[in-house]
Amino acid sequence: MSAPLEVSSALLNSRLVKSRPSDPALVAGYESGEITTAAARPDKNRFRRERFQGRFARPRPQRSPDRERSIQRRRTLAATWPMPPAMAGMLTTSQVAYARIVADEVKRNGDCRLTLDEIAARGGMCRKTAKRAQDRLAELRWIDVDHRPVKGRKHLPNVVRVVSSEWATWIKMGPKPRPIGGHLCPTTENQSSKTFNVAAAERPQGALEGVRRRSRAPTGPWRR
């Protein structure tokens, strides 16, 4: 067994030990458990302090709700060859996925004006990874990033332009974005039933010959 705790004389002579509450019944109620302490009051301003931390508060880190799907989307974008193979071999998977998004925007609008958060969400990566990919392509002098800061307000999205002639040619010669919905072939013009030419809709010559052969074939059993 452990040795008994020795209480110093200074603690026994202190005010904490000598001073007793003025109401002995209140002390006895607390000791027996008949009287309970009041619950702590809820902090009404706690949510406001956590939700609104100021204009220049540090944002929460961006996290994907489904990490496996984000990885698959990033790899799928990188596998579409958005740039020549010699250029893509110098980049990582995330950087090639970033290049795919930039190439699509350049093909559609001439430049890329998406924010880093939008590019990160589309490419299945975090904002820092998208920023490192942008810095890597700018370091290789394949893109030109135009920063647009606004004093006292939130900055405007960066304008990313492709300055590499080889990559620009690859984007220009690549497949065009397919429109959503509609038909690829034009529809046939409406024709009136009175002016419709039946002779123009005749069967080909080979089909007519096949019909004639079948009509001349004997209907009974075959004989040798």
Side-chain angles (χ1 to χ4, degrees):
M1 299 177 63
S2 60
L5 181 64
E6 297 180 0
V7 182
S8 62
S9 59
L11 179 60
L12 295 175
N13 296 328
S14 65
R15 184 178 178 183
L16 297 175
V17 178
K18 287 187 176 182
S19 60
R20 299 288 297 175
S22 58
D23 191 356
L26 184 62
V27 177
Y30 280 118
E31 292 178 353
S32 61
E34 297 178 358
I35 303 177
T36 58
T37 59
R41 296 180 180 179
D43 190 358
K44 298 180 179 180
N45 298 326
R46 180 180 178 182
F47 175 76
R48 295 182 179 180
R49 288 199 302 269
E50 294 179 355
R51 180 66 178 84
F52 306 99
Q53 298 179 357
R55 174 184 294 180
F56 302 101
R58 188 173 182 178
R60 295 182 179 180
Q62 183 181 4
R63 298 184 183 276
S64 173
D66 192 344
R67 191 166 180 268
E68 294 298 330
R69 292 186 61 183
S70 299
I71 295 175
Q72 182 180 2
R73 182 167 62 253
R74 180 167 65 248
R75 292 174 178 175
T76 303
L77 290 174
T80 56
W81 296 105
M83 55 176 51
M87 301 175 65
M90 303 173 61
L91 306 177
T92 62
T93 303
S94 300
Q95 293 169 358
V96 178
Y98 171 86
R100 171 80 273 174
I101 299 174
V102 172
D104 291 342
E105 289 295 320
V106 171
K107 183 75 173 181
R108 187 179 296 107
N109 303 321
D111 53 26
C112 179
R113 297 174 182 262
L114 299 177
T115 62
L116 289 175
D117 293 332
E118 293 176 340
I119 295 177
R122 294 185 183 183
M125 65 188 79
C126 65
R127 187 181 186 277
K128 290 185 178 180
T129 304
K131 181 65 169 61
R132 286 193 292 266
Q134 178 178 288
D135 296 342
R136 174 60 176 168
L137 268 67
E139 180 184 357
L140 295 172
R141 298 182 179 180
W142 294 347
I143 61 174
D144 180 27
V145 183
D146 184 12
H147 301 277
R148 298 188 295 174
V150 180
K151 186 177 181 180
R153 297 176 58 187
K154 189 175 182 180
H155 299 343
L156 297 175
N158 300 333
V159 180
V160 180
R161 299 181 178 88
V162 176
V163 296
S164 173
S165 58
E166 184 178 1
W167 190 15
T169 305
W170 183 277
I171 296 174
K172 185 178 180 180
M173 299 298 293
K176 297 182 179 180
R178 183 176 179 180
I180 300 175
H183 300 279
L184 299 180
C185 299
T187 58
T188 306
E189 297 181 358
N190 297 332
Q191 298 181 3
S192 176
S193 59
K194 297 181 180 179
T195 60
F196 183 72
N197 187 8
V198 182
E202 292 181 354
R203 297 181 180 181
Q205 186 67 21
L208 293 177
E209 293 178 357
V211 173
R212 292 169 184 171
R213 293 197 205 99
R214 289 194 296 269
S215 62
R216 289 196 298 265
T219 57
W222 292 90
R223 297 181 180 178
R224 292 184 181 180

